[in-house]
Amino acid sequence: MGASLPQRAPNPDRTRAGVGSAVDALDGDAGDARALDHAVAELVRRTRFPVGFGGLAQGDTIYVTSIHGARTRRLEGLVVEASRGLGGRALVEKRPRLALDYRSSRSITHDYDRAVLGEGISTLFAVPVMVGNRARGVIYCGSWAESPVGDVVARPAFAVAEELSAELRIREEVQRRLTLSPAPAGQVTMPATTREELRETYAELRSIAAVVDDPALRARLDRLEKRLAALSHDATEPSLELDVRLSPREIDVLACAALGATNAEIASTLDLKEGTVKSYLQSAMAKLDASTRHAAVVTARRAGLLP
């Protein structure tokens, strides 16, 4: 992880205008902005570096919209171009970048000194947030004194970036489903292929949420799950009121079973033992008064527990 390459001097007017554009863009999907802000806060908490900031990419530009732990307002309005600065290089190269001593680094032109050194940052670490093969943004953590960046800092930083990546990827998929062309007038059922894709997305979302420890992130993922379930409701089929409550794991297992997965496949997906999967299925079937897993899935869907 080398230091950044030379940067262009940022235009102050363009910087402020860029932030306005970023805010306008993020207003259309405030959930992404909230996810980023949560990630930056977690970055500071887990790495114990005093200051963290980050931004999502709009085209080839990163607009910093989240800052935690800063002592000044110098980082506000920061706009990072592709290939410029640590973040710009991380965005293009799709890998972390490090400036151990930002002030004396010879590979940095110091065009961003007003923001970075104005905040008093000495060591700066930038990690790209990858969604598939795309870098959706960059998160940074910095120290006011020169600090080594070993596993104690790098591992939690990578973990935060991966968690944010997972949430952004899921949000993209949910938004894609929500923006599908509406059904023609008089058509009240969702096309079978679309519903099946949605169910696959829901099952994947459940499997990701199952291994997330952060309560706040789990809560946001739960809200996305409910949106998916509501989106797939078949208006032609009457809802079923049930006085039962399935555990999260029972729903996880049923969501996979709904896709035709075997117990072994479900166990592999959810990182469970095959016997444990069987136990969850039997428990869910008993609660739903179903004699087969297929009947349990049908009942759960009518009750709105599954998409």
Side-chain angles (χ1 to χ4, degrees):
M1 294 181 290
S4 65
L5 291 181
Q7 305 166 324
R8 285 198 300 265
N11 182 318
D13 293 334
R14 187 191 183 289
T15 296
R16 296 302 172 186
V19 172
S21 299
V23 171
D24 290 342
L26 290 174
D27 278 345
D29 195 354
D32 283 1
R34 288 194 296 268
L36 170 68
D37 191 63
H38 175 78
V40 172
E42 281 294 293
L43 189 66
V44 171
R45 185 181 72 83
R46 298 189 202 178
T47 65
R48 299 188 183 279
F49 264 39
V51 60
F53 55 101
L56 298 178
Q58 300 292 330
D60 292 330
T61 305
I62 303 165
Y63 297 94
V64 173
T65 57
S66 178
I67 303 170
H68 284 263
R71 297 181 296 191
T72 73
R73 301 184 64 178
R74 295 297 182 88
L75 294 171
E76 294 180 9
L78 183 61
V79 175
V80 180
E81 301 285 353
S83 298
R84 304 292 176 176
L86 290 179
R89 287 294 301 276
L91 185 75
V92 171
E93 296 179 5
K94 303 177 183 179
R95 66 187 181 92
R97 304 293 302 184
L98 169 67
L100 186 60
D101 184 355
Y102 188 95
R103 181 182 295 276
S104 64
S105 176
R106 295 182 178 180
S107 59
I108 300 176
T109 60
H110 298 285
D111 296 305
Y112 292 134
D113 281 6
R114 182 177 180 182
V116 178
L117 296 181
E119 171 55 33
I121 293 174
S122 178
T123 294
L124 188 63
F125 188 43
V127 182
V129 178
M130 302 299 300
V131 177
N133 293 322
R134 296 178 299 124
R136 279 288 314 276
V138 176
I139 54 176
Y140 305 75
C141 57
S143 174
W144 296 312
E146 186 174 330
S147 303
V149 177
D151 285 349
V152 173
V153 173
R155 285 187 177 181
F158 296 156
V160 170
E162 289 173 2
E163 290 168 10
L164 177 57
S165 169
E167 183 168 358
L168 291 176
R169 176 167 55 83
I170 293 167
R171 290 187 58 80
E172 283 185 0
E173 184 62 20
V174 171
Q175 289 302 321
R176 188 175 77 84
R177 304 297 184 193
L178 291 174
T179 55
L180 289 173
S181 298
Q187 182 177 330
V188 293
T189 60
M190 179 182 292
T193 54
T194 300
R195 178 173 282 108
E196 193 60 27
E197 288 181 12
L198 186 147
R199 288 168 177 168
E200 290 175 1
T201 301
Y202 180 86
E204 182 180 7
L205 174 55
R206 293 290 309 183
S207 67
I208 293 173
V211 296
V212 172
D213 295 325
D214 183 357
L217 179 54
R218 285 186 65 91
R220 292 202 301 275
L221 292 175
D222 181 64
R223 288 194 291 271
L224 292 178
E225 293 166 14
K226 291 178 179 177
R227 290 179 68 186
L228 281 177
L231 182 63
S232 66
H233 176 67
D234 189 344
T236 65
E237 191 171 274
S239 299
L240 180 65
E241 295 292 335
L242 287 180
D243 188 22
V244 298
R245 183 180 180 84
L246 297 184
S247 72
R249 271 308 195 189
E250 289 167 349
I251 295 177
D252 293 341
V253 169
L254 273 184
C256 292
L259 300 178
T262 65
N263 286 359
E265 290 169 339
I266 297 173
S268 176
T269 298
L270 299 178
D271 196 22
L272 297 173
K273 294 181 178 179
E274 192 170 342
T276 304
V277 169
K278 183 177 180 180
S279 177
Y280 280 129
L281 274 175
Q282 291 176 337
S283 175
M285 288 163 57
K287 290 180 180 180
L288 297 171
D289 194 24
S291 58
T292 67
R293 66 171 63 193
H294 175 71
V297 167
V298 171
T299 301
R301 284 174 175 166
R302 289 187 59 197
L305 301 176
L306 290 177

